[in-house]
Amino acid sequence: MRITDVTPFLLRGNQTYGAHAGAAEATDQGDWLLLVRVRTDEGLEGWSDVETMGPVAARVLQGSGMSALGFRTIHEQLLGRDATDVEAIWDELYVATAYYGRRGVAMHCMSAVDNCLWSIRAQAAGVSLAQALGGRRRDRLPAYASTLFRPTPEENAAAAQRYVDLGFTGMKFGWGGFGTDPGADRDNLAALRETLGPDRALMIDPGWYVEDAGRPRVRTMTETTTMLETLGDGAPYWVEDIVHPERTEQYAVLAAEFPHLRFAAGEQQATIWELRRLVRDHGIAVVQPDLSRCGGLTVASALAPDAARAGVEIVTHSWLTDLLHAYSLHFLSTLPEARWVEFNVAQSELSAGVVNKSLTLAADGTVTVPDGAGLGVEVDLAFVEANAVTP
């Protein structure tokens, strides 16, 4: 079964990233969204989204490369390849893009294509993606609501109450200036904890950089330590992504200083080599490979045994569309232990519109792993084409 086409769909919207006033939902990246479709000569196709710099990635996927190995585009390299030879294709693409890739946009594109090919492999075998990945161990997973901090404690409490009313048993608030004002942090945490009560999990994602007068900079270790001292009072289930992705050894330092806190990281790491180092050496409790960035399902599957041996929990990062949610659900359903799936409640009109039928939260706070051959989620092609622009 040969690959006949690798097509990027670059969608343009008019919503901007950020939180809004009151209990109104935040918005993810609603200005640009990139989807990838891989087609075969037997009529099977796979779709994936990819969280990256969309206009650049579209050219990496289907543009004009150079003659030398290491400078090729993904479309050029994949035409005619056996679509079911997924792991070998990963290795080929890593070499084919080596001089401008290995990480960043090129790896994000590889991740999306890898996901597509796993979906095609499952369709060709007539099984679900989870079965192709080794077999489903559970049919549903608890979901946590993933959103952004609102400006005030009252607004955060109102947002949290809405997620409680929807049935979520866990929720994650992130960014929004958290970690720059200890007093405001303390007030926001107190409001959230009071609303959630003792039986619901609270995850905090402050990020590792801040903006001063519009200029980004890395948060200092002194600022990070002050923030963690405040966070201890909120009893978070985990604290996420607070260290520069090239300095992950700092997690071990922080874990020794704050043994009562659990650290989560990995959404900005790529390749099995980076993720293995993070899991083995750096003091985290939760690893968060993003299937649209880390190298795709091939890399995440290779990571699972390392995480199990190290006693590190895997919770994929999936703050994008229901395509990414579905890939995450299938993967997590195959693991010996899986406690959460991230569920983006801040989807923009673009993110929410790409599938025909949205994944939904059940009354018990879980989301069902999709059924059917392959991914089990259908793309709304009419919506995609209506919102697509020329890269």
Side-chain angles (χ1 to χ4, degrees):
M1 182 167 54
R2 303 297 168 183
I3 296 172
T4 58
D5 191 41
V6 179
T7 303
F9 291 85
L10 184 63
L11 311 187
R12 190 73 166 102
N14 57 12
Q15 293 178 291
T16 56
Y17 169 93
H20 306 295
E25 190 49 75
T27 306
D28 69 4
Q29 291 88 336
D31 49 356
W32 294 98
L33 176 66
L34 181 67
L35 304 177
V36 182
R37 181 184 65 197
V38 178
R39 278 180 162 172
T40 72
D41 60 0
E42 294 187 12
L44 300 182
E45 61 183 40
W47 286 83
S48 179
D49 47 11
V50 51
E51 189 171 8
T52 192
M53 178 67 79
V56 176
R59 307 299 293 175
V60 171
L61 285 159
Q62 194 183 63
S64 298
M66 297 164 63
S67 58
L69 185 63
F71 297 92
R72 296 176 184 167
T73 62
I74 289 177
H75 181 270
E76 291 171 326
Q77 186 64 33
L78 288 191
L79 286 184
R81 284 291 280 112
D82 180 358
T84 64
D85 200 8
V86 182
E87 295 88 349
I89 286 175
W90 197 101
D91 293 338
E92 289 179 19
L93 288 178
Y94 188 80
V95 175
T97 62
Y99 273 93
Y100 70 96
R102 302 199 310 280
R103 304 293 187 274
V105 171
M107 180 57 62
H108 302 161
C109 293
M110 280 181 56
S111 302
V113 167
D114 185 76
N115 294 337
C116 291
L117 293 177
W118 273 102
S119 175
I120 290 171
R121 177 188 273 184
Q123 293 172 56
V127 299
S128 72
L129 178 56
Q131 291 304 113
L133 289 167
R136 182 183 302 187
R137 296 171 183 257
R138 56 193 62 81
D139 294 327
R140 56 182 57 246
L141 282 97
Y144 71 83
S146 188
T147 189
L148 301 176
F149 274 106
R150 309 311 199 262
T152 69
E154 294 76 17
E155 291 168 312
N156 283 309
Q161 185 61 55
R162 185 159 65 84
Y163 305 134
V164 169
D165 294 342
L166 288 170
F168 286 100
T169 56
M171 54 201 73
K172 181 171 74 182
F173 284 76
W175 298 86
F178 191 92
T180 58
D181 182 337
D185 292 348
R186 192 172 292 107
D187 292 342
N188 283 314
L189 284 172
L192 288 173
R193 179 47 66 198
E194 181 178 358
T195 304
L196 269 59
D199 299 326
R200 294 181 179 86
L202 173 63
M203 298 81 160
I204 302 296
D205 179 10
W208 55 272
Y209 57 85
V210 296
E211 282 191 285
D212 289 334
R215 296 182 178 180
R217 64 173 178 83
V218 178
R219 185 184 285 111
T220 68
M221 279 294 277
T222 298
E223 290 172 324
T224 297
T225 299
T226 299
M227 177 182 68
L228 293 178
E229 290 171 349
T230 301
L231 270 170
D233 297 334
Y237 185 78
W238 72 56
V239 183
E240 178 176 331
D241 200 33
I242 58 172
V243 163
H244 192 297
E246 306 299 336
R247 302 188 65 186
T248 53
E249 71 280 355
Q250 291 178 346
Y251 281 114
V253 176
L254 294 171
E257 187 173 353
F258 297 91
H260 57 293
L261 292 177
R262 304 171 76 242
F263 296 106
E267 68 175 88
Q268 297 188 54
Q269 312 307 130
T271 77
I272 187 60
W273 308 294
E274 281 191 353
L275 285 163
R276 276 177 177 158
R277 284 194 291 270
L278 181 63
V279 163
R280 292 174 178 175
D281 304 329
H282 294 156
I284 63 169
V286 183
V287 64
Q288 301 171 297
D290 186 311
L291 298 177
S292 75
R293 299 175 182 170
C294 72
L297 286 163
T298 293
V299 168
S301 298
L303 176 67
D306 294 274
R309 282 191 292 270
V312 173
E313 182 180 349
I314 295 181
V315 183
T316 52
H317 179 267
S318 52
W319 208 63
L320 205 56
T321 78
D322 279 0
L323 290 173
L324 187 56
H325 291 152
Y327 278 113
S328 291
L329 284 162
H330 279 285
F331 169 65
L332 293 168
S333 77
T334 70
L335 301 179
E337 185 176 25
R339 299 175 185 172
W340 296 103
V341 63
E342 180 172 18
F343 202 73
N344 177 16
V345 293
Q347 288 183 338
S348 64
E349 293 175 1
L350 285 186
S351 297
V354 300
V355 299
N356 280 319
K357 185 178 181 181
S358 298
L359 300 177
T360 57
L361 188 77
D364 63 353
T366 63
V367 178
T368 300
V369 182
D371 284 322
L375 186 60
V377 172
E378 294 184 358
V379 168
D380 186 339
L381 186 58
F383 177 88
V384 170
E385 292 179 339
N387 289 276
V389 298
T390 302

